[in-house]
Amino acid sequence: MSKDMLIVVGAGAISGFASLAFLSGVPGALLVVYLAPLPLLLVGLDQGIKAVSIAGVSGIVTSTVAGTMLSGGLFTVIHAFPAWIIVRHALLKYSAPDTKNKEWYPAGSILCILSVFSSGILMMIIVWSQGEVGGLRGLIKSYLDQVFTYVMPVDDVLRGDLVQLMVPLFPGYMGTSWVLMVVFNASIALAILTRFDRTERPKSKLANLMLPDWMSWFIVVSASIALLSQEELEFFSRNLTLILAVPFFFLGLAVFHKLASHAAFPRMLLTAIYVALFLSGWIALVVIITGIIEQWFGLRRYFENPG
């Protein structure tokens, strides 16, 4: 076995073990789980689609042998396949319209594919949970009740209030955090490979992020169903809309980054924006709305030509 192949297989094994780190019970192990896709992305973006495929299989085998069949299946869906999607598209070039030049597949399109993929997982979970008592909401309520009972023993009334508060948007938050996790790992992988000159793909600036037009239809349809439906369908559509809003969140950030580039103190302005995001979830909603407006009307062009 060649040195490169050993690195690829080893990266997959490391990723598989990292995905099971939470089983150790060690404080901070969850951070290791969040970094589980990083080895797959590093070898994939460095050596290509074959490498990430082999590393993914290695991770699946490792997580199955060290854990269970369920952990292997979860690794496939949560880490291996998304890493394959990113590498497949990040290394893809296509002919630009009206020119003979080759362009890299847009980062915004990859982001949208990940968001739609996460939405598809939510759809499958909804269908699977229909045979359970209370559907998906019932399962989430039972799960959260067990978690709070274990990690934060409080009286039944307070625990019930916390569970009721989290249930309505819990699937959406989980799907959103998954997309953010994958994007975060992909950004780290590209930054590392760029630093060591191991990738030809140029570094993308957030201020220049663009989303494909078809993404608007997904969120419009989902939001419309959420507003007009009731009970289980409304619950599903609301959480689906939250996941589909992630690309528009990044697009909204792109608008603020472009605005900051024309400000007298750009770093100070961006720092204030990110601090506000950390302190208040309502600011995230403002950023998402900004991204939707940018997608439909184009705010950044006014920064380029204020007149």
Side-chain angles (χ1 to χ4, degrees):
M1 185 179 292
S2 67
K3 178 182 177 181
D4 287 343
M5 188 57 62
L6 283 173
I7 292 174
V8 168
V9 174
I14 292 173
S15 182
F17 282 121
S19 68
L20 301 174
F22 68 94
L23 296 176
S24 66
V26 177
L30 188 60
L31 177 61
V32 178
V33 176
Y34 267 77
L35 293 175
L38 184 57
L40 302 178
L41 292 165
L42 281 171
V43 296
L45 294 172
D46 180 26
Q47 300 185 37
I49 193 67
K50 180 180 178 181
V52 75
S53 301
I54 296 172
V57 172
S58 174
I60 294 169
V61 172
T62 301
S63 58
T64 302
V65 173
T68 62
M69 289 293 293
L70 177 60
S71 60
L74 290 175
F75 181 88
T76 303
V77 176
I78 297 175
H79 301 301
F81 191 57
W84 188 91
I85 292 175
I86 292 176
V87 172
R88 164 71 174 79
H89 291 87
L91 300 182
L92 180 65
K93 282 187 175 183
Y94 69 100
S95 298
D98 303 326
T99 67
K100 295 182 179 179
N101 298 329
K102 292 282 188 177
E103 293 186 0
W104 294 98
Y105 196 82
S109 297
I110 300 175
L111 177 60
C112 291
I113 291 173
L114 291 173
S115 183
V116 172
F117 177 78
S118 180
S119 301
I121 294 176
L122 176 60
M123 290 182 185
M124 289 189 291
I125 294 174
I126 286 284
V127 173
W128 170 79
S129 64
Q130 291 307 300
E132 303 294 328
V133 178
L136 182 58
R137 270 188 286 197
L139 290 175
I140 294 172
K141 184 177 179 180
S142 176
Y143 169 75
L144 291 177
D145 190 63
Q146 293 178 16
V147 169
F148 281 123
T149 301
Y150 177 73
V151 302
M152 193 174 62
V154 295
D155 61 87
D156 294 341
V157 175
L158 179 57
R159 185 172 65 247
D161 292 340
L162 288 172
V163 170
Q164 290 296 335
L165 181 65
M166 295 184 64
V167 166
L169 291 175
F170 185 77
Y173 285 139
M174 294 301 293
T176 297
S177 64
W178 175 83
V179 176
L180 295 176
M181 175 195 71
V182 176
V183 171
F184 176 71
N185 279 275
S187 300
I188 293 177
L190 278 173
I192 293 173
L193 294 174
T194 301
R195 173 67 178 81
F196 292 98
D197 197 25
R198 299 284 297 184
T199 180
E200 296 181 2
R201 185 181 176 97
K203 186 177 179 180
S204 301
K205 290 185 177 181
L206 180 57
N208 298 327
L209 181 72
M210 302 286 289
L211 300 183
D213 293 337
W214 54 261
M215 192 63 198
S216 299
W217 292 106
F218 277 86
I219 195 167
V220 166
V221 172
S222 178
S224 299
I225 295 175
L227 290 172
L228 300 176
S229 58
Q230 296 179 353
E231 298 182 353
E232 197 70 15
L233 183 57
E234 188 271 338
F235 171 75
F236 164 69
S237 301
R238 184 197 319 128
N239 285 277
L240 186 65
T241 303
L242 183 59
I243 298 173
L244 293 173
V246 173
F248 295 97
F249 172 77
F250 281 100
L251 188 61
L253 287 179
V255 174
F256 286 109
H257 273 255
K258 179 65 73 172
L259 174 62
S261 67
H262 295 279
F265 303 99
R267 291 186 179 180
M268 185 179 298
L269 177 58
L270 289 176
T271 300
I273 291 171
Y274 282 103
V275 169
L277 277 171
F278 179 77
L279 296 176
S280 174
W282 289 105
I283 303 300
L285 179 60
V286 173
V287 174
I288 291 171
I289 294 174
T290 302
I292 293 173
I293 295 174
E294 160 65 22
Q295 181 73 357
W296 292 347
F297 302 105
L299 294 174
R300 284 176 291 183
R301 60 179 177 172
Y302 295 108
F303 302 150
E304 298 293 343
N305 185 15

